Amino acid sequence: MIAYKVIFGTITKTNREDAEWLVEDYISVLLHNGQICGEYFLVVQKEKLCAYLNVQGRNAYAMKYHCKYGIERLHKIIEFFGRKPQWTLIDDDIPKQNITWENAPFLYLFTHMGDRRSSLCRGDNGESISIYLIPGEHEQREEIYFWQQEYKTYDQAWTYSGALEKVAYKQLATSDSELAKAGQKIGKYIEKVTGIPTYYYLVRYWGRRTNEYARLCPSCGQNWSTEVNSNEFHHFPFKCDQCRLVSHLAVSYEDERQAVIGEWGG
C-alpha cells in the first residue's frame, strides 16, 4: 500500500455536498477495481476538497488502469472542478516495481479480517498481486473485491468467538461452503485470464492428534499431502492439483470433535 493525498479542487459551502458525492462515487469505483484499498478520508484544506487514501501499487491511479466506470466518473470530476485530480505521494516506503503473476508456479487466494492487501498471492513467495493488474472487466474485479469483504466478515465472526463462531468457521474451512464455492469460481477465472494455476486456501484450525498429516483432500478424497515442512505460509503441506485447493496443518488439537469440519466425508 502506498499513501497519497489527492487534491480535487476548490469547493464552496453551497456545492460541497455535490462535490463530496462525486468524489466518493469515483473513489468507490477505484476501490472495487482494486486500485486503492482500505479506508480513505475526505477533508477540506484551504477551500480545496482533498482525499487521503492508499493505492495498491505503483501508479495504480493511472488512466491506463481505470475501467470504463472509472473513466466515466473521472470525466465528471474534471467537469465539476475544471481540472484533473492532483495525486501527491506522501509515503516514503514504495516498491520498486509492481508484483505480477508472471512466471509464478501457481497463485492462491487468501485473506483475513485485518487484510488490506489484495487476496491474490504468488505461490513462490506469498507476495500479494494487486487485482487491478488482472486482465478482464471491472465486474470480475469487483466480484473479487466483494468476495474478499465477505471472507473478512466471516473471519471476524469466527475470531471473535460469538454465537456465529461455528457457522463462520464452516464457511472458512469447508470446500463446499458458499464462501468457498464463490472463491473457487474466482480462482477459475483468474487461472483462465493469467494461464497460471490458481488455488483456493482452506482454513484448518481444529485437527486430529494422530494422522493429521494423512488427511485427504476434502473435495475429491485423494491424497494431497506435499510432505512440505516449513514455517513459510505459502509452503503448503496440503495441495490438490485436481481440485485447486491448498491448506495447512491444524493449529489446535484440543477438541477433536471439531476436526471433522472441513474433512473428506467419504
Side-chain angles (χ1 to χ4, degrees), residues 71-177:
I71 294 173
E72 176 186 292
R73 267 61 167 192
L74 179 58
H75 286 162
K76 291 181 179 180
I77 292 283
I78 295 172
E79 181 181 356
F80 184 89
F81 290 101
R83 52 172 283 178
K84 294 181 179 179
Q86 178 185 338
W87 293 74
T88 303
L89 177 67
I90 56 174
D91 199 333
D92 291 334
D93 186 17
I94 60 173
K96 293 182 179 179
Q97 60 185 16
N98 288 324
I99 304 300
T100 73
W101 67 86
E102 295 176 356
N103 301 317
F106 69 95
L107 308 173
Y108 65 92
L109 284 167
F110 168 72
T111 189
H112 55 82
M113 60 178 281
D115 200 3
R116 292 195 293 171
R117 306 182 309 161
S118 163
S119 56
L120 181 63
C121 305
R122 290 181 62 101
D124 53 358
N125 55 26
E127 292 187 339
S128 176
I129 303 167
S130 298
I131 295 301
Y132 73 89
L133 297 172
I134 300 298
E137 300 298 326
H138 171 79
E139 286 76 10
Q140 281 72 44
R141 290 189 283 270
E142 186 175 55
E143 184 178 353
I144 298 171
Y145 169 81
F146 283 123
W147 169 82
Q148 183 173 14
Q149 301 312 304
E150 184 179 9
Y151 191 108
K152 290 162 70 173
T153 299
Y154 279 118
D155 191 42
Q156 185 179 58
W158 171 54
T159 302
Y160 287 172
S161 303
L164 297 177
E165 177 185 2
K166 191 171 183 179
V167 173
Y169 180 65
K170 286 182 177 180
Q171 287 290 323
L172 299 170
T174 58
S175 61
D176 60 350
S177 70

